[in-house]
Amino acid sequence: MRVLSLVLLLSACAAPQPARWDYVTWHGARIQRDTGIAGQFRVLVKPGYGPTEYWCAAGDYAKDELDLGPGERIYLAAPRDNEGVLFSVLSMEEPEGPRGYSKSLSRPGFSLRVIHARMGCRSLMPFYFDLGRN
């Protein structure tokens, strides 16, 4: 009986678990689609991420998965919370007040073009300009 219980327990643990995310960017950010609203997605919390990294992930997802062009806009749908940041590619009204140059995670409606969102992405491979030298 003990062996059977152990086998059942191990088989339950080995069963594939449903993913909590739908897409992973090249930089390791996890994206979860909003099943209720097409064109809306959440970049899940990742330790050490700031506004630039969240916008980078949103830009990567918009380009690679949603096939948006560099001039199309991504909107902040909801401020950052404990789960992550909610973005949308559906047109939203821009918030009132000065625009500034920072990448907001607190002003719903704030938007960036896909190319601008991706400008903050870190290079995955360093550039070596002196490869020919010994």
Side-chain angles (χ1 to χ4, degrees):
M1 186 65 173
R2 262 185 156 171
V3 173
L4 180 61
S5 298
L6 182 60
V7 169
L8 289 174
L9 177 65
L10 291 175
S11 65
C13 292
Q17 300 296 319
R20 287 190 38 222
W21 57 85
D22 302 304
Y23 179 78
V24 178
T25 69
W26 284 99
H27 296 89
R30 299 169 314 190
I31 309 291
Q32 186 178 53
R33 291 182 191 103
D34 186 339
T35 55
I37 302 174
Q40 194 162 286
F41 58 94
R42 180 178 301 277
V43 178
L44 299 175
V45 167
K46 187 168 181 180
Y49 263 28
T52 299
E53 289 81 11
Y54 281 106
W55 279 100
C56 167
D60 279 351
Y61 179 74
K63 177 190 168 286
D64 297 338
E65 280 294 300
L66 301 179
D67 202 29
L68 294 183
E72 296 187 64
R73 290 199 170 272
I74 305 168
Y75 297 86
L76 179 68
R80 182 178 177 178
D81 60 19
N82 291 337
E83 291 181 34
V85 181
L86 189 64
F87 292 96
S88 177
V89 295
L90 306 173
S91 183
M92 299 176 73
E93 187 174 324
E94 287 278 335
E96 295 290 324
R99 181 137 172 93
Y101 292 101
S102 65
K103 295 179 177 179
S104 177
L105 291 179
S106 60
R107 296 174 57 203
F110 178 82
S111 70
L112 290 175
R113 295 186 191 283
V114 171
I115 193 154
H116 292 131
R118 297 184 72 233
M119 286 177 94
C121 297
R122 294 186 183 132
S123 175
L124 294 175
M125 183 170 44
F127 293 99
Y128 294 103
F129 295 104
D130 294 328
L131 289 178
R133 295 184 179 180
N134 291 330

